[in-house]
Amino acid sequence: ETISNAGRAGLVIISGSIFRVNGQLAVLLGLIAAVAMLKSRQILNHYLIEDGARNISINLACGSLGTLANTLNFLQAGSDYSVETTNLFHSLLVQILGMVAVFLFSGVVTFVLLKVLERMKQLKISHVQEVIGYDTLNHDSNSQSDFGSALGRVFNKQTDTKMRVILLNESLIKA
């Protein structure tokens, strides 16, 4: 898993400047992306932020580094897009400003959207649904048998779904 995620991280870091990256630079950026992905996973784990598909550690961390690396790629000699070294600071500031604008916009929009969904009670399933298993209740099957709830596996498929909810509610009330 780590190797495939490191490969994804390498692809993300070079995606913004793919036509300006030679083989050696691609390998170097890929190694930097792998380290950044692993460090960001450690940080997310430390703060108990769930990142099951590793999208935060890959897309946010490595995408940000790729945006900054895009500016550094302009310094390659002979490039049609090369800039003078004196413009490097300005180019980095423009890239950072763009990243901050995107983070703020997407963060605010996401926060507002999630708050609206939370107030509409559309964001989370109930505790009962979570314990029994959402797919077990709705489809009478367990699509992720390795990750299914212990209580959901106790009941066999012939047991009525409503009965499972009643039994669970009674056991929660007694507890």
Side-chain angles (χ1 to χ4, degrees):
E1 174 192 0
T2 302
I3 292 174
S4 66
N5 285 332
R8 286 176 49 207
L11 290 172
V12 168
I13 200 169
I14 66 167
S15 64
S17 56
I18 192 74
F19 62 95
R20 289 188 297 272
V21 176
N22 60 28
Q24 293 85 4
L25 188 57
V27 169
L28 177 64
L29 288 173
L31 291 173
I32 291 170
V35 171
M37 185 233 359
L38 292 173
K39 287 309 256 181
S40 65
R41 279 175 56 180
Q42 288 176 346
I43 292 168
L44 292 171
N45 288 339
H46 175 75
Y47 290 106
L48 302 175
I49 298 172
E50 188 176 337
D51 186 21
R54 309 289 184 245
N55 289 328
I56 297 171
S57 56
I58 292 173
N59 294 319
L60 179 63
C62 299
S64 299
L65 286 175
T67 301
L68 296 177
N70 193 22
T71 300
L72 298 176
N73 289 333
F74 285 128
L75 294 177
Q76 288 184 11
S79 171
D80 293 339
Y81 304 99
S82 63
V83 295
E84 297 175 17
T85 308
T86 55
N87 290 336
L88 176 63
F89 184 70
H90 179 264
S91 297
L92 279 172
L93 282 178
V94 168
Q95 293 291 79
I96 291 170
L97 179 65
M99 287 172 30
V100 168
V102 169
F103 291 154
L104 286 175
F105 176 78
S106 59
V108 168
V109 168
T110 301
F111 180 78
V112 169
L113 181 63
L114 290 175
K115 282 297 179 187
V116 168
L117 288 172
E118 183 180 44
R119 290 193 191 272
M120 294 172 52
K121 306 266 189 231
Q122 298 296 313
L123 195 54
K124 289 185 175 181
I125 61 174
S126 70
H127 181 68
V128 172
Q129 291 170 320
E130 186 176 356
V131 170
I132 291 178
Y134 195 73
D135 51 349
T136 303
L137 285 171
N138 288 325
H139 308 293
D140 203 26
S141 69
N142 192 352
S143 63
Q144 297 178 345
S145 58
D146 293 344
F147 303 108
S149 68
L151 188 58
R153 288 192 298 262
V154 170
F155 300 106
N156 63 30
K157 287 188 177 186
Q158 278 65 37
T159 306
D160 183 52
T161 302
K162 291 179 184 177
M163 187 61 177
R164 280 183 260 173
V165 174
I166 292 168
L167 290 173
L168 182 62
N169 281 334
E170 289 177 1
S171 65
L172 289 175
I173 291 171
K174 290 177 186 176

